[in-house]
Amino acid sequence: MSLGERIEAWTRRLNDAIVDSPRRVIIIFLVLTLVFTGGIGLVSTDTEATDSFTDGLEEQQALDAVNEEFEDPFESDDESTQLIHSGSNVLTKEALLRDLRVLEEVESRDDLRVASANGPATVVAQTIDPSATTAAEQRRVLESTSATRVRQVVRSLSENPRFTGTLATDFNPTSVSASASITVISHDVPGGFSDGDLQEVQTTIRSIAADQPGDLTAFGSGVTNAETANVIGDSLTIVMPVVVLLLLLFLVVAYRDPIDLALGLLSLLMTIIWTFGFLGFSGIPFNQQMITVPVLLLAVGVDFGIHIINRYREEVVDGYEATEAMREANNQLMIAFIIVTVTTVFGFGANVISDLTPIRNMGIASAVGITFTFLIFGLFLPAAKLVVDRLREQYGVPEFNSAPISSEDSTLGKFLTFPAQVSRYAPIAFVVVLLVTGGMAAAYGSGVDTSFETEDFLPPEEQPDYVTSLPEPFAPSEYTVTETLNLLEDRFSTNQDQTVKLYVEGNFEEGHALEALADPNDDASGSLAVGDGGSAQPTSIVTVIQSHAEQNPEFAKLVARNDIDGNGIPDQNLDRIYDVLFASSSGDRAEQYLTPDRRSA
């Protein structure tokens, strides 16, 4: 027996089991639906839009090595939120007071864990009165200072990097004006402070800033994650009702019988429940790429459902009794459904070998969902249709319109034969048209951009009117991250609170090792010069050595004896220097930057 004959025999036995014991099939599928319903509550949302796309990159491997080999010196107990203020002039007395009023309310709440704040308003107030350390004290200082005096202080700070570094590049000390400013709020957070906790802190600060007059908003990774999560929910809220409405209209035309329509919708609902339940139980997070998965499953499910119901109706019209009509219809369709399912599963399942985790997860979800679609529409729907028709006959429930759709004599049937007629009378022209169309699509597709950034996963700064005018509950959330990012890029030379990690492998006991490690700091890019004093602030094993030398005279002498060129960086006997350093009070700090085997820094 050939493979095809074996598959056909197997599908016939499966189909016989469906039509001979439909109630048992229904019970099994309903029980499984209850089981998968329990997994829906376990579905998590992946708000890190781009992080999972970096798997396998050299930069990600370096970061993984840093996290594995070091107590990451870049991961401190501090988090920060940026308070962005924009307007015609953010350096007026009233504008600076708005900043301080926000800071005062933020500082008054213990749950926001404010450690310090640095911005133009705090610098101006402390310049006037150095003893004003809290936002409330600084507000009172500015309130009691004349606008003229405030302008004089701002002008005097025009050469102070701590002040000018918080202002937009259009800062004009002569007119005492700037179109935007950044106030960095540092948070003193305990161990185990999660991304969710930071998200709550930053969104709360954003709400406080929004209550103030003027254009103030909060920005940070927590706000970005919150809006990314909202994008997923808003996209589903907007897309799914439209898809369901269009499918419902199509199903009404295709089924024309409310009971058959209800069966089709129930099967679609079960498909979505099974798929999301699988995501919950398997731990695969739902992200923006997966928004296409339920749409795909609904489309395939509608196709399968119409085929099942329509072929069954055609067999009934031909005179078959209900059970035999379903047996005949399903025998013809089962092989076709299997072919469609297998090819689709292989098509989407091929993504499981992708190096990109989101794409791999989407492939798994699509493949599993298509398999569920086949099982529900190939097994459950025929069984449910048989049981429902028997109940209708038993209780005398009339059929509303059960004529087969698209018979050969119908308008739709004639339209569907059009491609076959064209290919019969003009095959060459038909092939040429398809080739030209395909070539044009290939040429257009070759220009598709394959790069992306985190902001590409967020809505545009200005959404179209047909989106913003939607009523509740379809109205989208308020989004500020894209607008804030554009403002930072347009008006500031660089973002605040930005760091770069350099991971270096080699023998750090060789004489040139520390000199080479210090080289990247010698000619730093101007866009990185955002620290105090107008320059970047490097920290490494070199700065730990120099810091300990300042505290310990004996260690300073050891470093000086081995510093050939006199630049404060030892060039020889590094093994001895490391031994003394690691055994000292600075040993814990040194371990954050240099591994014990002296092979990575």
Side-chain angles (χ1 to χ4, degrees), residues 6 62 112 201 204 324 363 369 379 442:
R6 291 177 181 175
L112 299 182
V201 166
T204 301
E324 292 306 315
L379 281 65

Side-chain angles (χ1 to χ4, degrees), residues 153-169:
V153 172
V154 170
R155 191 175 288 116
S156 70
L157 293 169
S158 61
E159 300 297 328
N160 187 333
R162 181 166 171 252
F163 178 74
T164 58
T166 64
L167 299 175
T169 54

Side-chain angles (χ1 to χ4, degrees), residues 29 36 267 270-279 297 304 341 345 365-380:
F29 274 77
F36 281 115
S267 300
M270 290 172 59
T271 301
I272 299 300
I273 291 174
W274 282 35
T275 303
F276 276 85
F278 165 78
L279 294 179
L297 301 183
F304 281 6
T341 301
V345 166
S366 300
V368 172
I370 289 295
T371 303
F372 289 160
T373 304
F374 163 73
L375 294 175
I376 291 171
F377 282 89
L379 281 65
F380 170 78

Side-chain angles (χ1 to χ4, degrees), residues 68-71 508-509 575 578-579 582 587 590-601:
E68 180 180 350
E69 297 179 15
F70 298 90
E71 179 184 346
F508 279 88
E509 293 183 349
D575 55 341
Y578 295 147
D579 289 339
F582 274 78
E591 290 178 357
Q592 292 183 325
Y593 294 94
L594 183 68
T595 53
D597 62 2
R598 292 90 186 262
R599 306 294 300 182
S600 301

Side-chain angles (χ1 to χ4, degrees), residues 7-21 25 327 330-331 334 338 374-375 378-379:
I7 295 176
E8 184 177 0
W10 177 80
T11 56
R12 286 186 178 276
R13 287 196 298 271
L14 177 62
N15 190 37
D16 289 341
I18 296 170
V19 299
D20 292 338
S21 305
V25 173
R327 192 191 311 274
N330 228 23
N331 278 335
M334 190 68 75
I338 290 175
F374 163 73
L375 294 175
L379 281 65

